[in-house]
Amino acid sequence: MNLSKTVTKKLYIRGIVQGVGFRPTVYSYAHKYGVEGWVRNTSNGVEILASGSESAVDGFIQHLRDTPPRLAKVDSFLVEQAEQGMHSGFVILDSQPMEGEFLPISPDLSICPDCLRELYDPTDRRYRYPFINCTNCGPRFTIIKDIPYDRPKTTMADFQMCQDCESEYHDPLDRRFHAQPVACHLCGPQIWFETAGTIKSRGEDAIQESRAAIQSGKIVAVKGLGGYLLACDAANGATVETLRARKQRSQKPFALMASSLEIITRHCFVSNEEELALLSPEAPIVLLQKKPGCALPGGIAPGQQSLGFMLPYTPLHHLLLEKRTGYPEILVMTSGNRSEEPIAYTDDEARQNLETLADGFLMHNREINIRTDDSVVRFFRGGIYPIRRARGLVPSPVRIPFSVAPILGVGAELKNTITVAREDYAFISHHIGDLENLETSESFTQAIPHFKQLFRVHPKLISCDLHPDYRSSRYAEERACSENIPLVKVQHHHAHLAACLADNKWDSEEPVIGVCFDGTGLGTDGAIWGGEFLLGGYASFTREYHLAYTPLPGGDAAISKPSRSALAHLWKAGISWDEDMAPVQATSVQEKTLILQQLQKMINAPPTSSIGRLFDAVSSLLGICHLTTYEGQAAIDLENAISLVDDREGYGFDFHADQIDVSQMLREIVADIRKDVQVSRISCKFHHTLARVVLTAAQKIKSKTGISTVALSGGVWQNMHLLEGTINLLESNGFEVLWHHQVPANDGSISLGQIMVASAITQKG
Ligand code: ZN
Ligand code: ZN
Ligand code: FE
């Protein structure tokens, strides 16, 4: 009999607390401290009733606060006194759905160390089982159809657990207690290898047949967590070229999967932070700097100074890359699609779309509920700088700095994501892709109801881009009209600025200097913006400075032709098109005549202030890229041309009222080219010039307003040389600089920016 006072407390815990082993942890702590009561999942978190001596209950609460389950992300932890009741022991109660409530859902998690050990343990009943998982790892977001997260609401619903799995599932002290995707050889999903629609082998044989095919230079489509990936031997240059030809993807880098961290370090530099990211449960593709003399075929990432590596994140990947002499240690693992199409995720889609791409298919019967690509990140100053937010990161919410009414943001046209938000949670979707593609457009229309349903968001407001022709904008118009919901159109670069502020938890009304360097975005004056110095916050902005307008001959069609941007910029700067210039040589006489007419008469030549197009122009002038095969290629190639960093020299530029005139820089670049100055040096000088342009504009705004915080957003900021150079320059001149950490600088964060702006405007008004 415990003589000390008995207390009863109720705990409400919110955050990512389901599907991460929270209840078993609570259960084992309760036993440890001799606490009685119960724990249960609700639709908005976990509820606990803890009863016992004061010291036991306090010890239990403190322990749970200090040591929550490894994968849990606790947002709030509320404790209140509760009424004394009769409790015998500690129990786990059934889930308690609450109308309209919501909670974050765990993303898919890479295989944990315990499961990995069992995978290779011949005495374990799941020895070499490709779907081994537990409460600490395995699929989540990609198999969830609805909440609360219970097996019947996942694509595992059709698999009836065997007795052994069932008893683990119900044992609170087991690692697989309530692990919804729990399965084994006997009762769970199975794999097979097929070619031309015929099953060749199953189970272990299917793995070995796939491995043999890859080893012999074949391309195998492998069904993963969020879709099919095309796998081949990365060391086999001929196969890599075949893959390029089949995918019709001539230049864009391929991602790699290595069997171990040690293998990666042979080819790339890996910092401590990068190592942690590679090994993390999120297991993203990490862009790493190549080591000099890296022996991998150049065709993997033509002209690039970095390679995108990830580690195996599912048991199936581990088995595919199992160490054995003579077998590949690194696989190309690129999304299973033809250029521009979204990743195939159903078996039928794979058979149909990948037939001409893959020599064989490693398939399984665990359905993927939602198409999700691999995430891509980079590291900058020791922190994550996201490039593509998808598998492993989504749907973890971004906490926003003020509470919003339920809202939907539909995003941009390219690199589309959607965001639904309520209270201070923004649920940003996985990277959906370029909406000009029909299948991607379908993914977009499926993702919206799915996210609304998962997070119980019934939008009272919709936000979209100002551009009327974006498919996302058209969708928003239709919805707003048919559902009678107000629609707020947000200027593209204002959305970029707001996304960067939200990303940095900016919670003040103070305006900042937003430097939005981007490819395109419709401006409030009808021109194509993209080199913008905005002054503003969430609710409003003014445009302080911008790159002087240059006509873009051919409009959108010119985006894939940097030579056109070069000719246009030369024309604008009053520099004649001489025969010794690379873009002049790259353009036929007829085309030149047409372009000149378009420029002079301003026919089909919309004015643009895009920095992306300026990068195109310089890239073409230097003979680096006249025709792009993927978005941003000319700029990426121009950055990659830099071999030595020397940030002292730059070119001239002028400010005329609110316009930034770079014609002097262009004249000096042409002169440098004629003097045979190295391409690397010219590129470096160009980057440094842009950093100086940013500093100059920021100083002008600061002297007028006293504001000294600068936010950098827009796709151009994925240029690490420019990012680093600009931040260094701004900081050494007394500016505070905000950049992206949770969402990409590119259009993947537009939907977040849209909901921030639309909410701020509406709540203010
Ligand atoms: Zn596990
Ligand atoms: Zn089983
Ligand atoms: Fe943009």
Side-chain angles (χ1 to χ4, degrees):
M1 181 77 196
N2 196 332
L3 292 176
S4 72
K5 198 177 116 201
T6 297
V7 295
T8 303
K9 287 184 180 173
K10 195 117 179 246
L11 281 64
Y12 301 91
I13 304 165
R14 293 189 74 176
I16 294 182
V17 292
Q18 290 185 18
V20 291
F22 211 94
R23 288 172 303 163
T25 303
V26 169
Y27 183 90
S28 69
Y29 290 0
H31 275 254
K32 190 174 166 197
Y33 285 89
V35 164
E36 304 197 316
W38 48 259
V39 55
R40 71 177 174 201
N41 279 348
T42 68
S43 312
N44 76 346
V46 166
E47 254 176 55
I48 300 166
L49 190 85
S51 184
S53 73
E54 192 160 19
S55 64
V57 170
D58 288 350
F60 163 76
I61 293 173
Q62 197 56 46
H63 194 56
L64 189 60
R65 262 189 210 278
D66 295 345
T67 333
R70 190 171 66 100
L71 299 169
K73 287 204 174 77
V74 174
D75 291 336
S76 69
F77 195 118
L78 271 172
V79 181
E80 61 182 40
Q81 298 291 342
E83 270 188 32
Q84 204 75 32
M86 287 292 289
H87 308 285
S88 72
F90 195 87
V91 290
I92 295 172
L93 300 180
D94 284 342
S95 299
Q96 178 86 23
M98 287 191 246
E99 194 57 42
E101 282 299 348
F102 76 108
L103 88 168
I105 288 170
S106 165
D108 302 276
L109 305 165
S110 75
I111 183 169
C112 74
D114 290 329
C115 286
L116 191 58
R117 191 176 34 72
E118 290 171 354
L119 181 69
Y120 289 124
D121 175 1
T123 66
D124 193 275
R125 68 186 191 87
R126 291 191 183 84
Y127 177 54
R128 303 188 73 79
Y129 180 56
F131 302 96
I132 188 168
N133 68 79
C134 71
T135 40
N136 299 322
C137 73
R140 298 286 188 275
F141 172 64
T142 53
I143 62 166
I144 292 177
K145 293 178 170 171
D146 198 4
I147 56 165
Y149 172 56
D150 280 327
R151 188 157 170 134
K153 291 180 175 167
T154 71
T155 64
M156 284 297 291
D158 295 340
F159 296 96
Q160 185 72 42
M161 273 184 266
C162 70
Q163 260 183 12
D164 287 338
C165 285
E166 183 106 41
S167 68
E168 290 167 330
Y169 182 88
H170 290 295
D171 177 1
L173 293 178
D174 194 279
R175 205 173 86 244
R176 295 195 167 85
F177 176 73
H178 281 218
Q180 306 305 341
V182 73
C184 73
H185 284 292
L186 275 180
C187 66
Q190 303 295 327
I191 56 167
W192 67 90
F193 181 76
E194 71 172 58
T195 57
T198 311
I199 296 182
K200 298 287 180 184
S201 50
R202 293 178 187 276
E204 184 64 35
D205 292 343
I207 292 168
Q208 295 314 324
E209 195 164 354
S210 305
R211 273 166 68 89
I214 290 169
Q215 194 232 4
S216 71
K218 298 263 175 24
I219 295 163
V220 176
V222 179
K223 187 175 179 181
L225 278 176
Y228 277 82
L229 296 181
L230 293 167
C232 74
D233 179 1
N236 187 334
T239 306
V240 172
E241 289 317 314
T242 306
L243 180 59
R244 284 218 175 271
R246 290 190 191 169
K247 270 195 78 149
Q248 295 162 25
R249 175 158 151 170
S250 58
Q251 301 287 315
K252 200 173 174 184
F254 287 144
L256 301 169
M257 183 182 277
S259 59
S260 69
L261 185 66
E262 189 257 315
I263 303 283
I264 298 178
T265 57
R266 277 187 215 161
H267 301 281
C268 290
F269 296 103
V270 184
S271 70
N272 288 341
E273 294 90 1
E274 288 164 341
E275 180 178 326
L276 284 174
L278 285 164
L279 295 168
S280 70
E282 291 86 1
I285 296 169
V286 182
L287 298 182
L288 301 166
Q289 203 202 331
K290 256 199 291 196
K291 281 186 175 168
C294 165
L296 290 168
I300 291 169
Q304 304 278 320
Q305 294 180 2
S306 55
L307 291 172
F309 263 110
M310 59 183 154
L311 286 169
Y313 52 85
T314 69
L316 183 58
H317 294 145
H318 276 276
L319 295 169
L320 258 186
L321 273 156
E322 194 178 3
K323 236 184 165 62
R324 195 161 126 203
T325 318
Y327 277 81
E329 293 173 319
I330 304 176
L331 302 180
V332 166
M333 275 289 205
T334 182
S335 42
N337 55 11
R338 251 172 264 131
S339 195
E340 311 305 325
E341 284 173 3
I343 183 169
Y345 77 113
T346 67
D347 299 341
D348 286 342
E349 197 178 33
R351 287 186 189 107
Q352 220 170 53
N353 299 354
L354 308 181
E355 193 198 353
T356 55
L357 277 72
D359 301 301
F361 292 80
L362 183 56
M363 308 179 105
H364 61 72
N365 57 347
R366 186 178 72 201
E367 206 190 307
I368 297 168
N369 186 56
I370 191 153
R371 185 202 309 272
T372 317
D373 291 90
D374 290 314
S375 289
V376 184
V377 303
R378 220 183 232 297
F379 274 77
F380 176 66
R381 290 198 177 178
I384 283 192
Y385 193 64
I387 307 291
R388 182 167 77 195
R389 207 173 163 273
R391 191 259 315 149
L393 299 173
V394 169
S396 291
V398 168
R399 298 295 294 277
I400 48 180
F402 59 88
S403 196
V404 299
I407 180 168
L408 164 69
V410 295
E413 175 86 343
L414 300 178
K415 297 188 170 63
N416 177 275
T417 62
I418 61 115
T419 295
V420 294
R422 55 182 284 180
E423 296 159 38
D424 60 344
Y425 286 84
F427 298 95
I428 305 162
S429 77
H430 52 296
H431 162 90
I432 292 171
D434 299 349
L435 299 186
E436 52 209 7
N437 175 282
L438 182 69
E439 276 112 338
T440 315
S441 213
E442 282 166 8
S443 294
F444 164 83
T445 42
Q446 286 160 7
I448 291 172
H450 187 55
F451 268 71
K452 276 161 54 176
Q453 171 71 8
L454 280 186
F455 303 109
R456 307 289 193 253
V457 178
H458 308 290
K460 303 251 181 298
L461 191 63
I462 303 183
S463 52
C464 72
D465 199 275
L466 208 55
H467 203 305
D469 297 333
Y470 283 1
R471 279 154 196 81
S472 52
S473 303
R474 277 191 242 144
Y475 174 95
E477 293 259 15
E478 264 173 42
R479 282 294 132 151
C481 187
S482 68
E483 290 170 30
N484 201 18
I485 304 172
L487 176 68
V488 177
K489 296 182 183 179
V490 180
Q491 198 279 322
H492 189 88
H493 301 99
H494 188 201
H496 270 304
L497 167 60
C500 188
L501 291 177
D503 190 332
N504 284 277
K505 303 181 168 58
W506 187 261
D507 60 359
S508 109
E509 303 250 324
E510 268 301 280
V512 304
I513 303 164
V515 184
C516 301
F517 280 7
D518 203 16
T520 57
L522 184 64
T524 51
D525 60 354
I528 303 169
W529 292 9
E532 313 306 314
F533 291 85
L534 309 181
L535 178 65
Y538 296 115
S540 65
F541 73 94
T542 54
R543 189 189 193 200
E544 298 295 310
Y545 299 99
H546 62 90
L547 188 66
Y549 284 141
T550 300
L552 184 61
D556 282 350
I559 292 174
S560 60
K561 290 182 172 174
S563 51
R564 286 201 174 198
S565 287
L567 295 178
H569 270 282
L570 290 171
W571 178 82
K572 174 84 201 313
I575 304 167
S576 61
W577 295 350
D578 296 335
E579 278 310 316
D580 65 339
M581 294 171 167
V584 178
Q585 289 168 6
T587 310
S588 70
V589 177
Q590 293 101 303
E591 202 183 346
K592 267 184 287 195
T593 314
L594 175 72
I595 292 170
L596 192 61
Q597 277 179 1
Q598 289 175 326
L599 289 170
Q600 286 168 338
K601 296 181 182 154
M602 292 286 270
I603 305 164
N604 191 22
T608 182
S609 54
S610 163
I611 295 284
R613 298 293 81 76
L614 182 62
F615 265 92
D616 286 354
V618 175
S619 191
S620 174
L621 267 177
L622 291 175
I624 292 171
C625 182
H626 302 303
L627 199 66
T628 62
T629 61
Y630 62 92
E631 202 211 348
Q633 185 188 348
I636 291 168
D637 290 352
L638 182 58
E639 182 190 4
N640 277 305
I642 301 174
S643 52
L644 269 179
V645 179
D646 177 4
D647 279 340
R648 279 165 304 175
E649 280 185 289
Y651 297 111
F653 55 85
D654 299 292
F655 277 66
H656 304 304
D658 62 346
Q659 314 244 333
I660 302 156
D661 176 1
V662 292
S663 41
Q664 193 193 334
M665 176 184 78
L666 292 165
R667 278 191 295 275
E668 289 173 11
I669 288 177
V670 170
D672 267 359
I673 294 170
R674 287 184 172 143
K675 279 188 285 185
D676 281 332
V677 174
Q678 282 177 321
V679 168
S680 160
R681 181 134 170 249
I682 298 174
S683 175
C684 193
K685 283 170 77 176
F686 166 67
H687 281 76
H688 186 56
T689 309
L690 287 185
R692 295 219 60 99
V693 166
V694 175
L695 177 66
T696 310
Q699 281 171 331
K700 284 175 184 282
I701 298 171
K702 186 182 174 185
S703 67
K704 210 167 63 175
T705 62
I707 289 162
S708 61
T709 303
V710 179
L712 306 178
S713 190
V716 170
W717 294 112
Q718 273 170 208
N719 181 319
M720 300 314 280
H721 189 86
L722 184 64
L723 184 75
E724 172 119 59
T726 305
I727 294 175
N728 288 343
L729 199 58
L730 286 169
E731 285 182 343
S732 61
N733 282 276
F735 286 92
E736 189 205 341
V737 189
L738 309 176
W739 63 87
H740 283 279
H741 305 277
Q742 306 177 73
V743 291
N746 63 38
D747 284 4
S749 61
I750 287 293
S751 61
L752 172 64
Q754 288 170 346
I755 64 113
M756 296 306 296
V757 171
S759 300
I761 292 174
T762 318
Q763 284 168 18
K764 253 189 152 180

